[in-house]
Amino acid sequence: MILSRADLHIHTLYSDGSDSTEQLLTTIRTNQITYFSVTDHDTIDGVLHMQSLDLTGLHFFPGVEFSCFTPYKKCHILGYCYDAACPTFQDVLLEGHDKRMQKLRLRLDYLKEKFDIVFSKQTQDSFYQMNSVGKPHLAKALIALGYGTTIQEVMDKYLTLRTPNDKVEAAKAIAAIRASGGTAVWAHPLGGEGERHLTPEEFTKQLDILLQCGLQGLECYYSRYNREEIDFLLQQARKHHLFISGGSDYHGGFKIQKLGDGLTGWKRMEQDYIALENAISKVSQH
């Protein structure tokens, strides 16, 4: 494997990315990426559509990213190479979808009450037809109405509402992934883009909880982490015998990451990816 040709954390327009699966596939081939996964939030629609395209010469791992919480903190859990027909897995997908719809309703009410902003019925209907509507979709609609010029600007100004009980229990998500034959990985375990990174003590407390839930891997290689942070995560993964993964968290035009960002030049990365591939390919081959 050529190290610059792997990216196992990618979003499409089926959640909060800007690229269609066709656009993403073109970009993947242009960037000579051969190992990749679509990991949309709480939906596998992008995965199902990607599987209908011509993937000749590529290694595609079906993925998903569940928005979760533990008794300590929120977290995101990636699932790779699950059996999508597994009833337990389907139940968690449905719960994630329902919570996103609840979050959408709260945000629309907030925009109306706080800013007197009401979308047309057609626009609202389009939101409710999505399986994984997120803040970027609302921000794009607000820009179209003249409320800003960039996605980030609009989200910072109009979409700051904190919504309660809007995530799936991490224990339930990990159990569902494992019940479906998949591999459960903690996404950006020190924190995602724009978030304060966890201290080693905070990380350890959350990791201990997730290990008890059956966590199998850590996303150690991540586009927003520096060498010191990646080395720390690699050390923790090996200490606890966890699989090692990595990805850019690509969102197309909605965020600045490029495919493959942060995934080149790291010592032992090839061995780490081969180990993960061996773990998840047993499912993807069926």
Side-chain angles (χ1 to χ4, degrees), residues 219-232:
E219 187 176 54
C220 299
Y221 302 105
Y222 184 65
S223 57
R224 313 310 284 171
Y225 293 167
N226 59 36
R227 180 64 180 264
E228 181 180 357
E229 290 171 320
I230 291 175
D231 284 344
F232 169 76

Side-chain angles (χ1 to χ4, degrees), residues 125-188:
D125 288 346
S126 70
F127 290 150
Y128 283 110
Q129 288 168 7
M130 298 179 189
N131 271 348
S132 186
V133 63
K135 288 195 290 185
H137 300 104
L138 275 71
K140 191 174 179 180
L142 287 168
I143 290 172
L145 293 176
Y147 286 99
T149 57
T150 69
I151 297 289
Q152 193 61 52
E153 171 196 354
V154 171
M155 289 197 298
D156 290 343
K157 184 173 182 180
Y158 297 104
L159 299 171
T160 57
L161 174 69
R162 293 185 178 274
T163 53
N165 191 30
D166 61 355
K167 296 175 176 60
V168 176
E169 290 182 49
K172 184 183 293 186
I174 291 171
I177 293 167
R178 297 194 62 160
S180 70
T183 301
V185 174
W186 184 7
H188 39 70

Side-chain angles (χ1 to χ4, degrees), residues 45-254:
D45 285 3
V47 166
L48 297 176
H49 195 258
M50 182 64 76
Q51 289 175 323
S52 72
L53 304 180
D54 180 8
L55 301 178
T56 302
L58 301 174
H59 298 261
F60 175 62
F61 302 127
V64 67
E65 183 175 5
F66 288 117
S67 302
C68 299
F69 71 94
T70 73
Y72 179 53
K73 282 183 178 291
K74 70 175 184 177
C75 59
H76 285 198
I77 301 297
L78 294 160
Y80 293 112
C81 292
Y82 40 75
D83 175 2
C86 172
T88 306
F89 184 79
Q90 284 291 327
D91 286 346
V92 173
L93 278 178
L94 179 59
E95 182 177 344
H97 169 73
D98 288 346
K99 288 183 180 295
R100 284 193 171 270
M101 291 300 102
Q102 173 189 343
K103 197 159 37 174
L104 170 62
R105 287 190 289 271
L106 290 172
R107 284 174 174 155
L108 291 177
D109 289 344
Y110 175 75
L111 287 171
K112 180 180 179 179
E113 295 167 6
K114 180 77 173 179
F115 304 103
D116 197 28
I117 298 173
V118 179
F119 293 111
S120 68
K121 183 179 184 303
Q122 181 180 8
T123 298
Q124 292 190 48
D125 288 346
S126 70
F127 290 150
Y128 283 110
Q129 288 168 7
M130 298 179 189
N131 271 348
S132 186
V133 63
K135 288 195 290 185
H137 300 104
L138 275 71
K140 191 174 179 180
L142 287 168
I143 290 172
L145 293 176
Y147 286 99
T149 57
T150 69
I151 297 289
Q152 193 61 52
E153 171 196 354
V154 171
M155 289 197 298
D156 290 343
K157 184 173 182 180
Y158 297 104
L159 299 171
T160 57
L161 174 69
R162 293 185 178 274
T163 53
N165 191 30
D166 61 355
K167 296 175 176 60
V168 176
E169 290 182 49
K172 184 183 293 186
I174 291 171
I177 293 167
R178 297 194 62 160
S180 70
T183 301
V185 174
W186 184 7
H188 39 70
L190 294 179
E193 183 182 8
E195 297 177 336
R196 178 185 67 82
H197 289 188
L198 301 185
T199 66
E201 293 75 22
E202 291 170 328
F203 166 84
T204 299
K205 186 171 182 178
Q206 183 78 309
L207 177 62
D208 287 345
I209 295 171
L210 293 174
L211 287 173
Q212 293 175 21
C213 296
L215 184 74
Q216 296 161 285
L218 284 181
E219 187 176 54
C220 299
Y221 302 105
Y222 184 65
S223 57
R224 313 310 284 171
Y225 293 167
N226 59 36
R227 180 64 180 264
E228 181 180 357
E229 290 171 320
I230 291 175
D231 284 344
F232 169 76
L233 291 172
L234 290 171
Q235 179 185 38
Q236 293 299 312
R238 290 175 181 129
K239 175 183 177 181
H240 296 283
H241 308 289
L242 297 170
F243 293 113
I244 291 166
S245 183
S248 64
D249 205 359
Y250 175 78
H251 284 72
F254 287 156

